[in-house]
Amino acid sequence: MESIGVVGAGTMGGGIAQLAAYHDLRVRMKDIEHGAVTGGLRHARSLFEKAVRRGKLARREADRKLELVSGGLDYGGFGTVDLVVEAVAEKMEVKRTVLREVEARAAEGCVLTTNTSSLSVDEMAEALERPENFGGMHFFNPVHKMPLVEVVRGRETSDRTVATIYALVLELGKVPVVVRKDGPGFLVNRILGPYLNEAGWLLADGARVEDVDDAAEAFGMPMGPIRLVDEVGIDVARHAGRTLHEALGDRLEPSPPLVAVGDTDRLGRKGGLGFYRYDDGDAKGADPEIYDVLGDAVPAERTSIDQREIRSRLVLVMMNEAARVLDEGIVASAADVDLGMIMGTGFPPFRGGLLRFADELHPRTVLDRTEEYREKLGTRFEPASALRRLAEADREFYEAFP
Ligand SMILES: NC(=O)c1ccc[n+]([C@@H]2O[C@H](COP(=O)([O-])OP(=O)(O)OC[C@H]3O[C@@H](n4cnc5c(N)ncnc54)[C@H](O)[C@@H]3O)[C@@H](O)[C@H]2O)c1
């Protein structure tokens, strides 16, 4: 591949443009705001500067690569690019309009992709004349750090399109995982959703922010779930949570503390305040005032919840959702789930992966514990039918979903 177009020069678009230029692709960015284009270029420049400071790139190389990126307010240059990544605001109508505009200007064989996190790829494809040339290319934030890219095959996406996106992901030095059909949250966010929400339910049961995050970190997660909500952005997490709830129903009913924090003006790390306090972007411990801010969503007093209990609840909801994901054919294998979770969330590799760990416990044990929580905590722990089937047949995930 020689060149790509990126529409939307914000956080993700700027990051994707820099990544592509780093790998010697010519990049044309387009936005509707002049400030966003200059911001995207500035972001790319600062990442190259950092690479030079760290001795990863010679100054001349960095300058040459940076020159591969250009941007503007029109679609100039889009007629000759090999692939386009759409990274505009997370709104279906905006995306459909942008994709139609791109399709009208791009060469016939150009592959169109969307970086959406939570919208339906199939619904976007309906706006296109050549839906076979379109698929999802879901990068994670920050683009230069996160190794995973989900390659999403829509209903109409052709094999050539999937292969082209897959090859580009490899060319960009990232790890592709193929999501075999459109679905809420694709693979990683679908499994992460119940996990983040369960962290909120733990707060609702009286756990302290630090206790929840410490338990997850002791298990091996790079960052606890509540810190992760702050990191993702409380507004973004709330939007994603709503979408998952609408699509997946009651088990994703947002936990009261996550709803309550979403109703404040706290944004998480980017705004300097969330569940934690931040000083110049660095977390300075959980905010002691957060429980007052959460009001009725948490009990008046904190209770000590056993670390093993916290960890069990957080891990079991992920395993249960992963069983559903496999059953629905969202990805091809248990190994794909594990690859996605390790590369997309930092799930501890020494556990072998989420489902390798489930197999080690054995699906029978996972089912028994999930059923115990269903009794205690309600239907969000209703065991997935695939989990039940495996347990009853005495089979493991890796054996049943090779
Ligand atoms: N930020 C994340 O953590 C993250 C992670 C993965 C995927 N995504 C997805 O990436 C996409 C972009 O997210 P972001 O965080 O970079 O948003 P952002 O707000 O930083 O950037 C969006 C950019 O799109 C531009 N834009 C809006 N309408 C446009 C139009 N009609 N034509 C051209 N440009 C237009 C805006 O001016 C803005 O510069 C969204 O779909 C989002 O869901 C975001």
Side-chain angles (χ1 to χ4, degrees):
M1 191 165 296
E2 283 182 11
S3 63
I4 67 165
V6 177
V7 193
T11 310
M12 298 303 288
I16 294 164
Q18 191 271 341
L19 177 73
Y22 193 99
H23 289 86
D24 295 318
L25 295 173
R26 219 161 10 84
V27 187
R28 179 74 189 171
M29 274 193 294
K30 188 233 181 254
D31 205 287
I32 44 170
E33 303 267 349
H34 182 66
V37 176
T38 49
L41 290 169
R42 206 177 323 114
H43 181 48
R45 181 174 305 113
S46 76
L47 289 172
F48 278 122
E49 290 294 331
K50 205 184 266 176
V52 171
R53 275 202 308 278
R54 295 199 172 154
K56 281 168 77 185
L57 266 187
R59 158 73 51 201
R60 268 181 44 200
E61 269 293 274
D63 290 346
R64 184 185 62 76
K65 287 177 193 282
L66 184 60
E67 274 184 23
L68 293 170
V69 190
S70 64
L73 300 180
D74 58 38
Y75 285 107
F78 274 67
T80 54
V81 296
D82 303 306
L83 180 145
V84 175
V85 186
E86 169 281 303
V88 304
E90 188 74 336
K91 295 208 173 81
M92 180 57 77
E93 265 327 299
V94 178
K95 287 189 185 287
R96 284 169 63 112
T97 306
V98 163
L99 287 166
R100 260 196 307 265
E101 286 170 5
V102 172
E103 188 180 52
R105 288 156 179 91
E108 194 153 322
C110 177
V111 167
L112 268 51
T113 71
T114 174
N115 185 44
T116 185
S117 300
S118 62
L119 300 174
S120 163
V121 167
D122 285 337
E123 206 178 323
M124 275 177 230
E126 283 164 13
L128 295 172
E129 299 276 324
R130 299 187 290 275
E132 65 278 11
N133 290 353
F134 172 68
M137 187 175 192
H138 183 222
F139 289 85
F140 291 76
N141 186 21
V143 174
H144 65 287
K145 281 203 184 136
M146 297 296 292
L148 189 74
V149 181
E150 293 176 333
V151 179
V152 185
R153 176 191 277 277
R155 215 170 14 234
E156 308 274 346
T157 312
S158 70
D159 290 345
R160 181 191 83 97
T161 298
V162 173
T164 305
I165 304 172
Y166 193 95
L168 175 59
V169 174
L170 291 176
E171 195 175 337
L172 297 177
K174 300 287 183 190
V175 178
V177 64
V178 176
V179 174
R180 298 203 299 177
K181 57 181 181 186
D182 192 16
F186 307 128
L187 169 65
V188 170
N189 288 341
R190 163 97 181 251
I191 297 176
L192 212 51
Y195 163 79
L196 299 180
N197 202 31
E198 193 58 28
W201 285 111
L202 282 156
L203 297 182
D205 290 344
R208 285 179 192 82
V209 168
E210 303 88 319
D211 289 349
V212 175
D213 281 355
D214 287 352
E217 284 169 25
F219 175 71
M221 297 301 282
M223 174 184 287
I226 301 179
R227 264 281 282 125
L228 186 56
V229 169
D230 268 4
E231 194 64 30
V232 167
I234 287 170
D235 52 337
V236 173
R238 178 185 214 196
H239 183 260
R242 274 195 188 136
T243 311
L244 284 180
H245 181 209
E246 274 166 27
L248 301 174
D250 284 353
R251 72 176 185 281
L252 265 291
E253 184 197 338
S255 56
L258 293 189
V259 175
V261 79
D263 287 339
T264 68
D265 53 8
R266 294 183 180 219
L267 291 176
R269 188 170 72 88
K270 65 187 170 193
L273 192 60
F275 287 95
Y276 286 77
R277 289 184 167 175
Y278 297 85
D279 184 10
D280 222 7
D282 294 332
K284 293 291 170 205
D287 179 9
E289 284 167 22
I290 188 69
Y291 307 106
D292 288 338
V293 169
L294 296 176
D296 291 345
V298 293
E301 299 292 327
R302 281 343 94 217
T303 39
S304 216
I305 302 185
D306 185 70
Q307 290 275 297
R308 267 175 316 184
E309 157 106 8
I310 296 176
R311 161 184 145 164
S312 289
R313 283 171 59 171
L314 293 174
V315 174
L316 288 173
V317 285
M318 287 198 279
M319 289 175 175
N320 202 21
E321 198 61 36
R324 290 188 168 91
V325 161
L326 280 174
D327 220 16
E328 291 170 22
I330 300 286
V331 289
S333 65
D336 277 356
V337 171
D338 284 353
L339 180 70
M341 293 306 287
I342 291 171
M343 295 295 169
T345 73
F347 186 94
F350 68 87
R351 302 271 178 203
L354 177 65
L355 293 179
R356 190 66 89 182
F357 186 52
D359 280 349
E360 248 165 55
L361 295 171
H362 196 280
R364 177 82 250 163
T365 311
V366 176
L367 175 67
D368 288 347
R369 292 199 193 156
T370 306
E371 282 183 326
E372 280 168 30
Y373 281 118
R374 200 242 348 251
E375 294 300 307
K376 258 183 19 195
L377 301 169
T379 53
R380 68 180 186 277
F381 279 95
E382 182 63 40
S385 53
L387 177 61
R388 213 180 272 289
R389 282 202 313 276
L390 290 186
E392 280 162 9
D394 193 21
R395 298 184 77 196
E396 297 185 348
F397 282 101
Y398 269 73
E399 183 198 344
F401 298 98

